[in-house]
Amino acid sequence: METASDLFYREGIGAVGVDTVSERAGVSKRTLYNRFGGKDGLVAEYLRRRDEGWKAYLRGATEAVVEPKEKLLAVFEAYEEWLVGEDFRGCAFANAAAEIPDPDHPARVVARRHKEGVEEHLAALAEDAGFDEPGALAERLLILLEGATATAAMRRSAEPLGVARSVAQELLDARSR
């Protein structure tokens, strides 16, 4: 799974076949097919595992913050820290959605659920911070995060996340009045 994850993220889902994963991982194609049912299952599992890791990372980043409103801004900082790495190639979930046109493909379902999970996390933080309409606020914050992440990937710079964080701060301040 580690090999598949690395290959899919670095080279793209469409560019990597089961043969390549099998060869680089040192396992037979039969083993991969028995365990994952095929490439679609392998890609979906790659995204499920990234989702689990990301959720844990995000929970850790926000649980470490005491002030409820600041927890929302900590999400932006967590994204920025994640983007600083040299191997950043954009959001794995957005990349998968862009590569796989079928909305019912198992990997697209996982990618969509991941974004919904981030939005739910933001909504819970907004509710804990006492904001009115936490779902609407979470949707806006997610759109800021997604746009900044895509821009950061294109520019190969974490700067857009800093800009998005300042816009989020303005949004939170306006809703606090």
Side-chain angles (χ1 to χ4, degrees), residues 19-30:
D19 288 341
T20 303
V21 174
S22 169
E23 180 184 313
R24 297 232 187 122
V27 299
S28 70
K29 285 193 327 186
R30 183 179 194 171

Side-chain angles (χ1 to χ4, degrees), residues 7-146:
L7 288 168
F8 290 146
Y9 185 70
R10 288 181 189 276
E11 297 180 24
I13 293 165
V16 176
V18 174
D19 288 341
T20 303
V21 174
S22 169
E23 180 184 313
R24 297 232 187 122
V27 299
S28 70
K29 285 193 327 186
R30 183 179 194 171
T31 298
L32 291 175
Y33 281 103
N34 286 340
R35 181 168 281 171
F36 302 104
K39 184 176 177 182
D40 291 352
L42 182 62
V43 172
E45 184 60 22
Y46 146 67
L47 291 174
R48 265 192 290 281
R49 289 184 185 200
R50 280 191 83 99
D51 178 55
E52 289 171 8
W54 178 246
K55 283 179 185 172
Y57 175 72
L58 198 53
R59 272 193 310 273
T62 55
E63 286 174 357
V65 177
V66 176
E67 177 65 35
K69 181 178 157 185
E70 292 298 316
K71 288 179 184 275
L72 288 161
L73 297 173
V75 173
F76 287 82
E77 292 166 13
Y79 270 71
E80 190 171 355
E81 286 174 15
W82 173 60
L83 291 172
V84 170
E86 288 203 18
D87 64 341
F88 180 70
R89 197 178 116 9
C91 172
F93 305 97
N95 292 348
E99 283 196 62
I100 301 168
D102 178 5
D104 297 322
H105 186 284
R108 282 284 297 262
V109 171
V110 174
R112 184 171 47 251
R113 182 63 198 120
H114 167 77
K115 298 302 181 183
E116 292 167 354
V118 172
E119 187 172 351
E120 289 165 6
H121 184 71
L122 290 165
L125 294 175
E127 186 172 354
D128 290 346
F131 286 100
D132 292 334
E133 301 181 41
L137 177 58
E139 182 179 27
R140 285 166 175 77
L141 294 174
L142 181 66
I143 289 169
L144 274 174
L145 284 166
E146 291 299 307

Side-chain angles (χ1 to χ4, degrees), residues 73 76-77 80 83 144-145 147-149 151-152 155 157-171:
L73 297 173
F76 287 82
E77 292 166 13
E80 190 171 355
L83 291 172
L144 274 174
L145 284 166
T149 300
T151 304
R155 291 184 183 169
S157 165
E159 182 183 356
L161 263 299
V163 173
R165 185 189 186 286
S166 68
V167 172
Q169 178 74 61
E170 292 170 11
L171 180 61

